[in-house]
Amino acid sequence: MKFENSKYSKLLGYKKVDFPFGTIYITRYFVISELNEGIHVDYTIASELINAFSEDIRKGIKVGYIANRINSYSFEPQLWLDFNNEYDFLVASAIVTYNDFSYLNSSLEKHFFKKSLKRCHSLYEAIEWMSNLNEFSKEFKHE
């Protein structure tokens, strides 16, 4: 399910940013990516995604990241290692998979990401898990 078709798009304020390779939705506590079919996520694409919310990073804001993999694309797992060394703004990550192959790929990625990475079978599961993390749960309950 696409984020804009979910109940959360009506419940959460968000900013939509379109790229030639996909779309990201920036909420107060997490970023959701929905990337295009067949792309290969490399350092260049990852850098463009990060630059979309680099001002928040400079302010020291911590966020979660949800990869809503509604389309099939490839991802360099090494990017998680590079990311771990260069940035410290992610609290956790969730990967929403819609088929067995994508789930297996996310299992490989889990070994490269130093923080918590949850593999989910629905966008609902990912958002609920993210909103219940200790770093965000208190603030979600006050909104």
Side-chain angles (χ1 to χ4, degrees):
M1 170 181 289
K2 288 188 172 192
F3 173 71
E4 287 186 311
N5 296 336
S6 75
K7 70 178 185 178
Y8 292 103
S9 69
K10 292 158 190 64
L11 297 174
L12 301 171
Y14 66 92
K15 175 181 163 188
K16 180 180 178 180
V17 182
D18 289 311
F19 295 94
F21 51 82
T23 303
I24 63 169
Y25 304 91
I26 303 170
T27 74
R28 182 171 175 184
Y29 303 105
F30 48 85
V31 175
I32 300 170
S33 68
E34 294 178 348
L35 303 180
N36 296 342
E37 182 79 29
I39 67 160
H40 177 67
V41 179
D42 57 11
Y43 192 81
T44 302
I45 288 177
S47 295
E48 282 189 58
L49 290 170
I50 291 166
N51 285 336
F53 48 98
S54 60
E55 187 174 313
D56 292 333
I57 296 168
R58 283 192 291 276
K59 292 178 186 174
I61 294 173
K62 302 284 188 183
V63 297
Y65 173 70
I66 299 173
N68 188 23
R69 295 195 175 160
I70 55 174
N71 295 309
S72 179
Y73 59 87
S74 60
F75 182 90
E76 290 180 25
Q78 175 68 32
L79 286 174
W80 284 123
L81 291 177
D82 297 340
F83 188 85
N84 289 328
N85 293 330
E86 291 181 42
Y87 303 102
D88 189 37
F89 66 92
L90 276 187
V91 171
S93 183
I95 299 175
V96 183
T97 62
Y98 294 92
N99 60 52
D100 292 340
F101 184 71
S102 183
Y103 188 85
L104 288 172
N105 282 341
S106 66
S107 296
L108 175 65
E109 288 176 46
K110 187 173 175 66
H111 294 290
F112 287 88
F113 190 58
K114 290 182 181 173
K115 297 186 180 171
S116 182
L117 189 149
K118 180 165 177 61
R119 294 157 297 171
C120 303
H121 294 289
S122 71
L123 184 58
Y124 172 82
E125 179 185 1
I127 291 174
E128 288 297 314
W129 176 75
M130 193 71 65
S131 66
N132 284 305
L133 292 174
N134 288 337
E135 293 85 352
F136 304 136
S137 63
K138 291 176 189 164
E139 294 187 48
F140 266 102
K141 290 175 184 161
H142 290 99
E143 288 186 355

Coordinates of all heavy atoms in Angstrom, one line a residue, residues 23-81:
T23 N 9.7 8.8 -4.5 CA 9.1 9.8 -3.6 C 9.4 9.5 -2.2 O 9.5 8.4 -1.8 CB 7.6 9.8 -3.8 OG1 7.3 10.0 -5.2 CG2 6.9 10.9 -3.0
I24 N 9.6 10.6 -1.4 CA 9.7 10.5 0.0 C 8.7 11.3 0.7 O 8.3 12.4 0.2 CB 11.2 10.8 0.6 CG1 11.5 12.2 0.4 CG2 12.2 9.8 0.0 CD1 12.8 12.7 1.1
Y25 N 8.3 10.9 1.9 CA 7.3 11.6 2.7 C 8.0 11.9 4.0 O 8.5 10.9 4.7 CB 6.1 10.8 2.9 CG 5.4 10.4 1.6 CD1 5.8 9.2 1.0 CD2 4.5 11.2 1.0 CE1 5.2 8.8 -0.2 CE2 3.9 10.8 -0.2 CZ 4.3 9.6 -0.8 OH 3.7 9.2 -2.0
I26 N 8.1 13.1 4.4 CA 8.8 13.5 5.6 C 7.8 13.9 6.6 O 7.0 14.9 6.5 CB 9.8 14.7 5.3 CG1 10.8 14.4 4.2 CG2 10.5 15.1 6.6 CD1 11.6 15.5 3.7
T27 N 7.7 13.1 7.7 CA 6.8 13.4 8.8 C 7.6 13.9 10.0 O 8.9 14.0 9.8 CB 6.0 12.1 9.3 OG1 6.9 11.3 10.0 CG2 5.4 11.4 8.1
R28 N 7.0 14.3 11.0 CA 7.7 14.8 12.2 C 8.7 13.8 12.8 O 9.8 14.2 13.2 CB 6.7 15.2 13.2 CG 7.4 15.9 14.4 CD 6.4 16.5 15.3 NE 7.0 17.0 16.6 CZ 6.3 17.5 17.6 NH1 5.0 17.5 17.5 NH2 6.9 17.9 18.6
Y29 N 8.4 12.5 12.7 CA 9.3 11.5 13.4 C 9.9 10.5 12.5 O 10.9 9.9 12.9 CB 8.4 10.8 14.4 CG 7.8 11.7 15.4 CD1 6.4 12.0 15.4 CD2 8.5 12.3 16.4 CE1 5.8 12.8 16.3 CE2 8.0 13.2 17.3 CZ 6.6 13.4 17.3 OH 6.1 14.3 18.2
F30 N 9.5 10.4 11.3 CA 10.1 9.5 10.4 C 9.9 9.9 8.9 O 9.1 10.7 8.6 CB 9.6 8.0 10.6 CG 8.1 7.9 10.7 CD1 7.4 7.7 9.5 CD2 7.5 7.9 11.9 CE1 6.0 7.6 9.6 CE2 6.1 7.7 12.0 CZ 5.4 7.6 10.8
V31 N 10.7 9.3 8.1 CA 10.7 9.5 6.6 C 10.3 8.2 6.0 O 10.8 7.1 6.4 CB 12.1 9.9 6.1 CG1 12.1 10.0 4.6 CG2 12.6 11.2 6.8
I32 N 9.4 8.3 5.0 CA 9.0 7.1 4.3 C 9.4 7.2 2.8 O 9.2 8.3 2.2 CB 7.5 6.9 4.3 CG1 7.0 6.8 5.8 CG2 7.0 5.7 3.5 CD1 5.5 6.9 5.9
S33 N 10.1 6.2 2.3 CA 10.5 6.3 0.9 C 9.7 5.3 0.1 O 9.4 4.2 0.6 CB 12.0 6.0 0.7 OG 12.3 4.6 1.0
E34 N 9.3 5.7 -1.1 CA 8.7 4.8 -2.1 C 9.4 5.0 -3.4 O 9.1 6.0 -4.1 CB 7.2 5.1 -2.2 CG 6.4 4.8 -0.9 CD 4.9 5.2 -1.0 OE1 4.5 5.8 -1.9 OE2 4.2 4.7 0.0
L35 N 10.3 4.1 -3.7 CA 11.2 4.2 -4.8 C 10.6 3.5 -6.0 O 9.9 2.6 -5.9 CB 12.6 3.8 -4.5 CG 13.2 4.5 -3.3 CD1 14.6 4.0 -3.0 CD2 13.2 6.0 -3.5
N36 N 11.1 3.9 -7.2 CA 10.5 3.4 -8.5 C 11.0 2.0 -8.8 O 12.1 1.6 -8.4 CB 10.9 4.4 -9.6 CG 10.3 5.7 -9.5 OD1 9.3 5.9 -8.8 ND2 10.8 6.7 -10.2
E37 N 10.2 1.3 -9.6 CA 10.5 0.0 -10.1 C 11.8 0.0 -10.9 O 12.1 0.9 -11.7 CB 9.4 -0.5 -11.0 CG 9.5 -1.9 -11.5 CD 9.2 -2.9 -10.5 OE1 8.3 -2.7 -9.7 OE2 9.7 -4.0 -10.6
G38 N 12.7 -1.0 -10.5 CA 13.9 -1.2 -11.3 C 15.1 -0.3 -11.1 O 16.1 -0.5 -11.7
I39 N 15.0 0.6 -10.2 CA 16.2 1.5 -10.0 C 17.2 0.7 -9.2 O 16.9 -0.3 -8.6 CB 15.8 2.8 -9.3 CG1 15.3 2.6 -7.9 CG2 14.8 3.6 -10.1 CD1 15.5 3.8 -7.0
H40 N 18.4 1.3 -9.1 CA 19.5 0.7 -8.3 C 19.9 1.8 -7.3 O 20.4 2.9 -7.7 CB 20.7 0.3 -9.1 CG 21.8 -0.2 -8.3 ND1 21.7 -1.4 -7.5 CD2 23.0 0.3 -8.0 CE1 22.9 -1.5 -6.8 NE2 23.7 -0.5 -7.1
V41 N 19.7 1.6 -6.0 CA 20.0 2.6 -5.0 C 21.5 2.5 -4.7 O 22.0 1.5 -4.2 CB 19.2 2.5 -3.7 CG1 19.6 3.5 -2.7 CG2 17.7 2.5 -4.1
D42 N 22.2 3.6 -5.2 CA 23.6 3.7 -4.9 C 23.9 4.9 -4.1 O 23.0 5.5 -3.5 CB 24.4 3.7 -6.3 CG 23.9 4.9 -7.1 OD1 23.2 5.8 -6.7 OD2 24.3 4.9 -8.3
Y43 N 25.2 5.2 -3.9 CA 25.6 6.3 -3.0 C 25.0 7.7 -3.5 O 24.5 8.5 -2.7 CB 27.1 6.4 -2.9 CG 27.5 7.3 -1.8 CD1 27.6 6.9 -0.5 CD2 27.9 8.7 -2.1 CE1 28.0 7.7 0.5 CE2 28.3 9.5 -1.1 CZ 28.3 9.0 0.2 OH 28.7 9.9 1.2
T44 N 24.9 7.8 -4.8 CA 24.4 9.1 -5.4 C 22.9 9.3 -5.0 O 22.5 10.3 -4.6 CB 24.5 9.1 -6.9 OG1 25.9 8.9 -7.3 CG2 24.0 10.4 -7.5
I45 N 22.1 8.2 -5.2 CA 20.7 8.3 -4.8 C 20.5 8.5 -3.3 O 19.7 9.3 -2.9 CB 19.9 7.1 -5.4 CG1 19.8 7.2 -6.9 CG2 18.5 7.0 -4.7 CD1 19.1 6.0 -7.6
A46 N 21.3 7.7 -2.6 CA 21.2 7.8 -1.1 C 21.5 9.3 -0.7 O 20.8 9.8 0.2 CB 22.1 6.8 -0.4
S47 N 22.5 9.9 -1.3 CA 22.9 11.2 -0.9 C 21.8 12.2 -1.3 O 21.5 13.2 -0.5 CB 24.2 11.6 -1.7 OG 25.2 10.8 -1.3
E48 N 21.1 12.0 -2.4 CA 20.0 12.9 -2.7 C 18.9 12.8 -1.7 O 18.3 13.8 -1.4 CB 19.5 12.6 -4.2 CG 20.3 13.1 -5.3 CD 19.7 13.0 -6.6 OE1 18.6 13.5 -6.8 OE2 20.3 12.3 -7.5
L49 N 18.6 11.6 -1.3 CA 17.5 11.4 -0.3 C 17.9 12.1 1.0 O 17.1 12.8 1.6 CB 17.3 9.9 -0.1 CG 16.7 9.1 -1.2 CD1 16.7 7.6 -0.9 CD2 15.2 9.6 -1.4
I50 N 19.1 11.9 1.4 CA 19.6 12.6 2.7 C 19.5 14.1 2.6 O 19.1 14.8 3.5 CB 21.0 12.0 3.1 CG1 20.9 10.6 3.5 CG2 21.6 12.9 4.2 CD1 22.2 9.8 3.5
N51 N 19.9 14.6 1.4 CA 19.9 16.1 1.3 C 18.5 16.7 1.4 O 18.4 17.8 1.7 CB 20.6 16.4 -0.1 CG 22.1 16.3 -0.1 OD1 22.7 16.4 1.0 ND2 22.7 16.1 -1.2
A52 N 17.5 15.9 1.1 CA 16.1 16.4 1.2 C 15.8 16.8 2.6 O 14.9 17.7 2.8 CB 15.2 15.3 0.7
F53 N 16.4 16.2 3.6 CA 16.1 16.6 5.0 C 17.4 17.0 5.7 O 17.5 16.8 6.9 CB 15.2 15.6 5.7 CG 15.7 14.2 5.6 CD1 16.4 13.6 6.6 CD2 15.3 13.4 4.5 CE1 16.8 12.3 6.5 CE2 15.7 12.1 4.4 CZ 16.5 11.5 5.4
S54 N 18.4 17.5 5.0 CA 19.7 17.8 5.6 C 19.6 18.9 6.6 O 20.4 19.0 7.6 CB 20.8 18.1 4.6 OG 20.4 19.2 3.8
E55 N 18.7 19.9 6.4 CA 18.5 21.0 7.4 C 18.1 20.5 8.7 O 18.6 20.9 9.8 CB 17.5 22.0 6.8 CG 17.4 23.2 7.7 CD 16.5 24.3 7.1 OE1 16.6 24.5 5.9 OE2 15.7 24.8 7.9
D56 N 17.2 19.5 8.8 CA 16.8 18.9 10.0 C 18.0 18.1 10.7 O 18.1 18.1 11.9 CB 15.6 17.9 9.8 CG 14.4 18.6 9.4 OD1 14.2 19.8 9.8 OD2 13.5 18.0 8.7
I57 N 18.8 17.5 9.9 CA 19.9 16.8 10.4 C 20.9 17.8 11.1 O 21.4 17.5 12.2 CB 20.7 16.0 9.3 CG1 19.8 14.9 8.7 CG2 22.0 15.4 9.8 CD1 20.3 14.4 7.4
R58 N 21.1 18.9 10.5 CA 22.0 19.9 11.1 C 21.5 20.4 12.4 O 22.2 20.8 13.3 CB 22.2 21.1 10.1 CG 23.2 20.7 9.0 CD 23.6 22.0 8.2 NE 22.5 22.6 7.5 CZ 22.2 22.2 6.2 NH1 22.8 21.2 5.7 NH2 21.2 22.8 5.6
K59 N 20.1 20.4 12.6 CA 19.5 20.9 13.8 C 19.6 19.8 14.9 O 19.1 20.0 16.0 CB 18.1 21.2 13.6 CG 17.9 22.4 12.7 CD 16.4 22.7 12.5 CE 16.1 23.8 11.5 NZ 14.7 23.9 11.2
G60 N 20.1 18.6 14.5 CA 20.2 17.5 15.5 C 19.0 16.7 15.7 O 18.8 16.0 16.7
I61 N 18.0 16.8 14.8 CA 16.8 16.1 14.9 C 17.0 14.6 14.6 O 17.7 14.3 13.6 CB 15.7 16.7 14.0 CG1 15.4 18.1 14.5 CG2 14.5 15.8 13.9 CD1 14.4 18.9 13.6
K62 N 16.4 13.7 15.4 CA 16.5 12.3 15.1 C 15.2 11.8 14.5 O 14.1 12.2 14.9 CB 16.8 11.6 16.5 CG 18.0 12.0 17.2 CD 19.2 11.5 16.6 CE 20.4 11.8 17.5 NZ 21.7 11.3 16.9
V63 N 15.3 10.9 13.5 CA 14.2 10.4 12.8 C 14.3 8.9 12.6 O 15.4 8.4 12.7 CB 13.9 11.1 11.5 CG1 13.6 12.6 11.6 CG2 15.1 10.9 10.5
G64 N 13.2 8.3 12.3 CA 13.2 6.9 11.8 C 13.1 6.9 10.3 O 12.7 7.9 9.7
Y65 N 13.4 5.8 9.7 CA 13.3 5.7 8.3 C 12.5 4.4 7.9 O 12.8 3.3 8.4 CB 14.7 5.6 7.6 CG 14.7 5.2 6.2 CD1 14.3 6.2 5.2 CD2 15.1 4.0 5.7 CE1 14.2 5.9 3.9 CE2 15.1 3.7 4.4 CZ 14.7 4.7 3.5 OH 14.6 4.4 2.1
I66 N 11.5 4.6 7.1 CA 10.7 3.4 6.6 C 10.9 3.3 5.1 O 10.5 4.3 4.4 CB 9.2 3.6 7.0 CG1 9.0 3.7 8.5 CG2 8.4 2.5 6.3 CD1 7.6 4.0 8.9
A67 N 11.4 2.2 4.6 CA 11.5 1.9 3.2 C 10.2 1.1 2.8 O 10.1 0.0 3.1 CB 12.7 1.2 2.9
N68 N 9.3 1.8 2.2 CA 8.0 1.1 1.8 C 8.3 0.6 0.4 O 8.1 1.3 -0.6 CB 6.8 2.1 1.8 CG 5.5 1.4 1.6 OD1 5.4 0.2 1.8 ND2 4.5 2.2 1.1
R69 N 8.7 -0.6 0.3 CA 9.1 -1.2 -1.0 C 8.0 -1.8 -1.8 O 7.9 -3.0 -2.0 CB 10.2 -2.3 -0.7 CG 11.4 -1.6 -0.1 CD 12.6 -2.5 -0.2 NE 13.8 -1.7 0.3 CZ 14.9 -2.2 0.7 NH1 15.0 -3.5 0.7 NH2 15.9 -1.5 1.1
I70 N 7.1 -0.9 -2.3 CA 6.0 -1.3 -3.1 C 6.4 -1.7 -4.5 O 5.7 -2.4 -5.2 CB 4.9 -0.1 -3.2 CG1 5.6 1.2 -3.7 CG2 4.2 0.1 -1.8 CD1 4.6 2.3 -3.9
N71 N 7.6 -1.3 -4.9 CA 8.2 -1.7 -6.2 C 9.5 -2.5 -5.9 O 10.1 -2.4 -4.9 CB 8.6 -0.4 -7.0 CG 7.3 0.4 -7.4 OD1 6.4 -0.2 -7.9 ND2 7.3 1.7 -7.1
S72 N 9.9 -3.2 -6.9 CA 11.1 -4.0 -6.8 C 12.3 -3.1 -7.3 O 12.3 -2.6 -8.4 CB 11.0 -5.2 -7.7 OG 12.2 -6.0 -7.6
Y73 N 13.4 -3.0 -6.5 CA 14.6 -2.3 -6.9 C 15.7 -2.9 -6.1 O 15.6 -3.6 -5.2 CB 14.4 -0.8 -6.7 CG 14.1 -0.4 -5.2 CD1 15.2 -0.2 -4.3 CD2 12.8 -0.2 -4.8 CE1 14.9 0.2 -3.0 CE2 12.6 0.2 -3.5 CZ 13.6 0.4 -2.6 OH 13.3 0.8 -1.3
S74 N 16.9 -2.6 -6.6 CA 18.1 -3.1 -5.9 C 18.7 -2.0 -5.0 O 18.6 -0.8 -5.2 CB 19.1 -3.6 -6.9 OG 19.5 -2.6 -7.8
F75 N 19.4 -2.5 -4.0 CA 20.0 -1.6 -3.0 C 21.4 -2.2 -2.6 O 21.5 -3.4 -2.4 CB 19.1 -1.6 -1.7 CG 19.5 -0.7 -0.6 CD1 19.1 0.6 -0.6 CD2 20.4 -1.2 0.4 CE1 19.6 1.4 0.4 CE2 20.8 -0.4 1.4 CZ 20.4 0.9 1.4
E76 N 22.4 -1.3 -2.6 CA 23.7 -1.8 -2.1 C 23.7 -1.8 -0.6 O 23.7 -0.8 0.1 CB 24.7 -0.8 -2.6 CG 25.0 -0.8 -4.1 CD 26.0 0.2 -4.6 OE1 26.9 0.6 -3.8 OE2 25.9 0.7 -5.7
P77 N 23.8 -3.0 0.0 CA 23.9 -3.1 1.4 C 25.0 -2.4 2.1 O 24.9 -1.9 3.2 CB 24.0 -4.7 1.7 CG 23.5 -5.3 0.4 CD 23.8 -4.3 -0.7
Q78 N 26.1 -2.3 1.3 CA 27.3 -1.5 1.8 C 26.9 -0.1 2.2 O 27.6 0.5 3.0 CB 28.4 -1.5 0.7 CG 29.6 -0.7 1.0 CD 30.4 -1.2 2.2 OE1 30.5 -2.4 2.4 NE2 31.0 -0.4 2.9
L79 N 25.9 0.5 1.6 CA 25.4 1.8 1.9 C 25.1 2.0 3.4 O 25.3 3.0 4.0 CB 24.2 2.2 1.1 CG 24.5 2.5 -0.4 CD1 23.2 2.8 -1.1 CD2 25.4 3.7 -0.5
W80 N 24.6 0.9 4.0 CA 24.3 1.0 5.4 C 25.6 1.2 6.2 O 25.6 2.0 7.2 CB 23.5 -0.2 5.9 CG 22.1 -0.3 5.6 CD1 21.5 -1.3 4.9 CD2 21.1 0.6 5.9 NE1 20.1 -1.1 4.7 CE2 19.9 0.1 5.3 CE3 21.0 1.8 6.5 CZ2 18.6 0.8 5.4 CZ3 19.8 2.5 6.6 CH2 18.6 2.0 6.1
L81 N 26.6 0.5 5.9 CA 27.9 0.7 6.6 C 28.4 2.2 6.4 O 28.8 2.8 7.3 CB 29.0 -0.2 6.1 CG 28.7 -1.7 6.4 CD1 29.8 -2.6 5.8 CD2 28.7 -1.9 7.9

